[in-house]
Amino acid sequence: MSDEPVDATEAVADPADATEPILPEDADLPDDVVAGVDAVRGPLPPLRDIARVKQPSTIGGAVYLVVLVLALVGIGIAATGNWRLGVSWLGSSLLVATAGRLLLPGDDAGMLGVRRRRFDTLLVGSVGIVLIVLAITIPDQPV
């Protein structure tokens, strides 16, 4: 044991309890640490990089966004009362996704390509067709 008094700022916390490092108040820190570099997580990205919207990097990404918009329109139409038309829009959006997956090569498919092309097109296309057929064939219910 040493006879020197222990400074409270040098106390070490239990690492399991600490989420951020404990630094003495009089530590000589570089300017980049003071300006926003977190000692645990690394430098903070500039605000313009956070706020920038990324554009699709493939043609399939653009087709995916079109499919997403068509599906949201279908959900909106179905929520407002005309469920047949809304479900038809949903089925049509899935058929657009199927066409995009069939026509685009594997590298350009983007988020449309989840598994093998045959599986993607069979599954998404059949669900789209089933939705449209159900919207057409379900009889009106009496009120």
Side-chain angles (χ1 to χ4, degrees), residues 7-125:
D7 187 9
T9 59
E10 294 179 11
V12 178
D14 183 13
D17 295 335
T19 58
E20 295 188 9
I22 298 173
L23 298 174
E25 292 179 17
D26 60 344
D28 186 25
L29 298 174
D31 289 337
D32 61 343
V33 172
V34 176
V37 174
D38 188 324
V40 175
R41 291 177 227 116
L44 300 173
L47 183 59
R48 66 175 183 257
D49 289 343
I50 294 173
R52 185 179 63 197
V53 176
K54 287 189 169 186
Q55 296 177 350
S57 59
T58 62
I59 298 171
V63 174
Y64 182 82
L65 290 177
V66 169
V67 169
L68 182 64
V69 168
L70 291 174
L72 289 174
V73 168
I75 290 171
I77 292 172
T80 58
N82 192 351
W83 69 269
R84 288 181 194 273
L85 183 60
V87 170
S88 297
W89 273 77
L90 280 171
S92 299
S93 71
L94 293 176
L95 293 180
V96 169
T98 302
R101 180 67 173 119
L102 275 174
L103 298 176
L104 294 173
D107 293 341
D108 290 335
M111 290 175 43
L112 293 174
V114 177
R115 292 180 176 79
R116 292 188 176 149
R117 181 180 295 191
R118 182 178 298 153
F119 182 79
D120 285 341
T121 55
L122 284 174
L123 180 67
V124 176

